[in-house]
Amino acid sequence: MSEALLGRVVATERRPNTAHEFHFWTSIDSPIGIGTIVRVDGETPVSGQLPRVYGVVVEGFSYTDLQSPIHDVLGHDGTPSGAAVGATQRAEIRLYTAHVLRQIPDEPLQPVPMGTVALASDEDVAVALRMDGYLQPGAHTGIPVGIYRAGAMEAPIYLDADFLLGPEAAHLNITGMSGLATKTSAVEWLLASIFTHFPAQKGSVAAICFNVKGPDLLFLDQPGQLENSDRAMYEKLGVKAAPFANVRYFAPYTAKGFTLNTLRSNEQLEHNVSPLTWGLNEVMQFAEVLLNKDDIDAKADAFIDFLQERVINREFHEPPLSTPHRVRSFAELETFFRDLLRAMEAHGTGEHWRTHHIATIRKVRNRLSNISTRCAGLVTDEGTVSDLPFGSFEDRTVYVVDVASLEEDAQDLIFARVVSKLREHLERRDLGVSHVVVFVDELNKYAPGDGPETYVRKMLLDIAERGRYLGLVLFSAQQFRSQVHRRVVGNSGTALYGRMDMDELATPGYAVLSPATKTKLATLEKGQLMVRHPHFAQPIFVRFPRPAVLRGRDGAERYPQAVELSLDVAVMRSLRQLDPAISLDWVKRTIAGHDEAQVIRARNVTLQTKPDRVPSFFEAQFRRIVPMETPQPAHAAVVPIRSLPSDDPYGF
């Protein structure tokens, strides 16, 4: 621990010290810089105790005894190389401004007194940032976020789990320039730290990450390259330098339905990749996400509500329908609409049925039937479901939902349904874990500060405002914090800032930062962050190690995306997840003579059911095709062709 004095507090009439800001000077060779934490030891007791003040440097100035630049020009005889003509070497001092982190004693709160200034030690950093309150043995709730460096000193910086994952506060937001702020890397590192240090007495924790950009989060279970400096930080912060042990991936099928719509399609990595498919029951609850409110009026809403309450998943038979209907899939819903409209036209029931106009019925049919087309691969006509394991989430497991290649409608549907199901299960306390971290990137797109109100934005606002009571925590990232909805970023108890754009720093939201802090933010290296946390009175700069996982771009090169597969190969690869003995020849023989829709339906049902005997179950999904043969009698009589008379005028 360094106790060397570096400077002294100074106050002038023009620059007095206050209870939240003070000034001090040092020699020009002191290891003080913007972001350095210092300790001030007072010289006059207050209430019988010598005051001690901790502060973080936010601005620096350099002074000489010159009154104007012309004096320096004359002193050098008008030339920059004329220093030798000066009678003496001009004196220079460094003056720094620091913002107060903590005062001891806390009361009475007074302006910072005159005293000596020293570089903060490890113990001082913990006291200055109030980390000593949650790092005590037996009540340790610290989550390492990085390392604070000053001179030759390195001190671990911890976040309070109660203020990161709830219930005291919750949520984290990270902002910075695309490609330079290492936002995704910071979240990957922080999740590894949470999985390692989250206190056992606080329960279990899992994470759901929405992959919205290329291969960013598709190789979390593969080891990456680390330098010795990174491994040293892992060791100092008490986190194992290894990829995530438990990761599961989910992705919808492509429009054809053969293969999954994800860049993690290499055959070597398909062991933990599962399809994400929903049917009518799963989609109708969130139909408003896909329906245009300008097009669906109150009459259409009323008819949709009638379908949900009286028709779907119920036995429904009412004139003029020709037969009873139990609607459980989009295909059966289409059959219901055809029967209803045909009967109305055939029986001449007029333009209304149960107070619903035929034009409204046709409109709703068109909009609902179109969902499985617009979200092809995610929404199935036959109603096959392959979902996230709601109710059986596992502790310290990452669930990645790949939506990077999907259309906007399908992305919105996935966001809305997954978040809603998480909230429902957490309210009933039957999700499988007590805390869930939901990571959403590109918040500028999904929760913008302006623009129309969308279902996804409402869901994100709901998490930010009420999620912490349930254990539902939002980790979000974006390039421009100023353009994100204020209620999302405002409810984030912890904020991280990577390298920032100067135009973004010029917006009013950063007016509380000093010019020097803004300059440092605009020039941060990769692996550096500015951290704001409820326990920290001022932002702190830290370094974090490179995540011990394979980067997305490197993973895409090492595990190239599989080429478009034929139907038989795609079915074989899917069924081998249940039974490795499945062969391509067997698949070809089994699906021969059946159309693609039948084969895809049989595969989806098999994957959903997970039977003990996969081959027999898969074969049972097909109707037996009997080859057509022309029957031949055992002893067919040979009938000779009658010859024509030679004198027949029509003969040849």
Side-chain angles (χ1 to χ4, degrees):
M1 182 177 66
S2 176
E3 294 292 344
L5 300 182
L6 299 178
R8 294 191 61 86
V9 176
V10 62
T12 65
E13 184 177 353
R14 297 181 59 184
R15 290 191 175 182
N17 295 329
T18 66
H20 65 273
E21 182 182 85
F22 64 94
H23 312 279
F24 66 95
W25 63 267
T26 70
S27 61
I28 61 175
D29 60 347
S30 66
I32 299 293
I34 304 302
T36 302
I37 299 177
V38 296
R39 186 191 74 230
V40 175
D41 294 311
E43 299 174 343
T44 303
V46 176
S47 300
Q49 180 180 358
L50 286 175
R52 176 167 286 184
V53 180
Y54 301 95
V56 58
V57 177
V58 298
E59 191 61 273
F61 304 92
S62 176
Y63 283 101
T64 66
D65 59 351
L66 290 171
Q67 293 184 354
S68 68
I70 188 64
H71 292 85
D72 195 53
V73 175
L74 296 176
H76 288 77
D77 202 18
T79 63
S81 59
V85 301
T88 60
Q89 184 176 3
R90 195 172 301 280
E92 177 186 0
I93 67 167
R94 295 286 171 85
L95 181 68
Y96 293 97
T97 299
H99 286 173
V100 174
L101 290 169
R102 188 176 185 181
Q103 288 198 34
I104 298 178
D106 296 333
E107 295 292 341
L109 185 61
Q110 297 181 343
V112 177
M114 299 297 104
T116 59
V117 177
L119 199 64
S121 63
D122 286 17
E123 295 80 4
D124 292 331
V125 171
V127 174
L129 301 180
R130 294 177 171 83
M131 296 190 299
D132 54 336
Y134 53 90
L135 296 181
Q136 300 175 0
H140 193 291
T141 59
I143 306 293
V145 67
I147 288 179
Y148 161 78
R149 289 178 178 173
M153 188 269 292
E154 293 185 348
I157 302 299
Y158 296 86
L159 305 178
D160 188 354
D162 288 337
F163 287 79
L164 181 63
L165 301 178
E168 300 300 333
H171 315 307
L172 176 140
N173 181 262
I174 178 171
T175 188
M177 296 172 63
S178 178
L180 295 176
T182 59
K183 301 187 294 294
T184 303
S185 297
V187 171
E188 292 171 352
W189 146 251
L190 195 54
L191 286 178
S193 181
I194 291 172
F195 283 5
T196 302
H197 291 275
F198 189 69
Q201 68 271 16
K202 291 183 63 64
S204 52
V205 60
I208 288 186
C209 301
F210 292 98
N211 182 61
V212 299
K213 293 187 301 183
D216 268 4
L217 301 170
L218 298 184
F219 305 97
L220 300 181
D221 56 345
Q222 300 299 313
Q225 295 293 329
L226 294 178
E227 299 180 357
N228 292 334
S229 58
D230 295 318
R231 296 185 182 278
M233 277 194 278
Y234 271 100
E235 184 176 356
K236 189 173 185 65
L237 296 172
V239 179
K240 185 179 180 181
F244 292 95
N246 301 314
V247 186
R248 293 186 60 184
Y249 290 90
F250 297 85
Y253 286 104
T254 60
K256 288 185 178 180
F258 293 1
T259 58
L260 296 180
N261 193 2
T262 176
L263 292 177
R264 188 186 168 96
S265 58
N266 193 283
E267 190 172 3
Q268 301 180 52
L269 303 177
E270 64 180 6
H271 61 281
N272 58 351
V273 183
S274 302
L276 184 67
T277 57
W278 296 329
L280 177 67
N281 294 323
E282 290 72 29
V283 173
M284 280 301 295
Q285 184 180 357
F286 307 96
E288 63 178 284
V289 178
L290 303 174
L291 301 179
N292 189 340
K293 281 299 182 183
D294 296 332
D295 192 25
I296 301 297
D297 52 18
K299 298 177 182 178
D301 275 340
F303 185 58
I304 292 174
D305 291 340
F306 170 78
L307 292 176
Q308 291 178 312
E309 294 176 4
R310 301 290 302 276
V311 178
I312 296 176
N313 285 329
R314 290 172 174 82
E315 188 78 21
F316 186 82
H317 187 202
E318 181 177 308
L321 294 173
S322 61
T323 181
H325 290 271
R326 180 179 288 274
V327 177
R328 292 162 297 186
S329 66
F330 278 100
E332 294 175 344
L333 180 64
E334 177 62 20
T335 302
F336 166 81
F337 275 123
R338 283 201 305 266
D339 188 13
L340 175 61
L341 293 173
R342 184 169 52 245
M344 292 179 67
E345 295 171 355
H347 292 80
T349 58
E351 297 184 345
H352 290 82
W353 177 71
R354 296 183 59 93
T355 72
H356 301 292
H357 196 276
I358 190 171
T360 301
I361 297 175
R362 292 184 184 277
K363 177 191 289 187
V364 172
R365 174 196 183 186
N366 176 271
R367 301 305 184 269
L368 294 182
S369 300
N370 195 30
I371 289 178
S372 60
T373 302
R374 292 160 56 194
C375 301
L378 171 66
V379 179
T380 60
D381 284 327
E382 67 273 10
T384 306
V385 178
S386 178
D387 211 347
L388 274 73
F390 297 111
S392 58
F393 270 46
E394 298 178 0
D395 190 21
R396 268 71 173 181
T397 300
V398 182
Y399 301 88
V400 181
V401 182
D402 189 6
V403 299
S405 302
L406 302 184
E407 297 295 332
E408 186 173 348
D409 288 339
Q411 289 187 357
D412 292 348
L413 177 60
I414 289 176
F415 280 129
R417 186 175 187 279
V418 170
V419 172
S420 294
K421 295 293 290 183
L422 289 175
R423 184 176 56 191
E424 292 174 9
H425 283 277
L426 284 171
E427 287 175 348
R428 297 196 300 262
R429 298 300 178 186
D430 62 355
L431 181 63
V433 294
S434 55
H435 297 79
V436 176
V437 175
V438 177
F439 173 52
V440 180
D441 201 353
E442 301 295 335
L443 213 59
N444 289 125
K445 174 183 178 182
Y446 299 110
D450 52 9
E453 185 72 20
T454 64
Y455 198 93
V456 174
R457 187 167 74 172
K458 289 194 296 184
M459 298 301 300
L460 294 174
L461 287 172
D462 186 72
I463 297 177
E465 294 174 341
R466 295 195 292 262
R468 66 187 179 94
Y469 299 105
L470 303 173
L472 188 58
V473 183
L474 177 64
F475 281 19
S476 55
Q478 71 284 320
Q479 283 90 24
F480 307 107
R481 180 185 174 97
S482 61
Q483 297 179 15
V484 176
H485 201 292
R486 291 184 61 185
R487 286 159 57 192
V488 176
V489 295
N491 282 291
S492 297
T494 303
L496 307 180
Y497 302 82
R499 185 166 180 170
M500 303 285 292
D501 182 77
M502 288 301 294
D503 292 340
E504 171 71 6
L505 289 170
T507 58
Y510 302 91
V512 295
L513 302 178
S514 68
T517 303
K518 294 180 183 180
T519 301
K520 183 166 183 175
L521 270 177
T523 57
L524 282 180
E525 301 175 358
K526 286 188 175 183
Q528 284 186 291
L529 295 171
M530 188 180 78
V531 182
R532 300 182 69 175
H533 189 61
H535 287 288
F536 305 165
Q538 298 294 331
I540 301 299
F541 289 94
V542 302
R543 293 179 179 269
F544 69 95
R546 184 191 303 269
V549 301
L550 191 61
R551 295 190 306 173
R553 289 174 296 175
D554 297 338
E557 295 177 0
R558 184 179 302 179
Y559 301 101
Q561 185 179 10
V563 297
E564 186 68 25
L565 303 176
S566 61
L567 179 59
D568 49 6
V569 176
V571 171
M572 177 199 67
R573 289 180 53 174
S574 297
L575 297 183
R576 276 186 174 176
Q577 297 183 27
L578 304 178
D579 185 353
I582 298 293
S583 67
L584 181 59
D585 290 339
W586 176 82
V587 172
K588 288 181 177 180
R589 291 194 306 269
T590 305
I591 69 176
H594 301 282
D595 59 35
E596 292 181 355
Q598 288 178 303
V599 176
I600 291 174
R601 184 196 64 81
R603 179 204 59 187
N604 292 347
V605 171
T606 305
L607 293 177
Q608 178 183 5
T609 308
K610 296 181 175 61
D612 294 332
R613 301 181 62 185
V614 176
S616 58
F617 184 89
F618 182 72
E619 289 174 339
Q621 305 307 309
F622 301 100
R623 295 178 180 176
R624 183 174 179 82
I625 297 179
V626 180
M628 296 183 61
E629 298 181 359
T630 303
Q632 295 291 338
H635 301 286
V638 179
V639 180
I641 300 176
R642 184 173 61 88
S643 60
L644 296 175
S646 60
D647 59 347
D648 188 348
Y650 297 99
F652 293 94

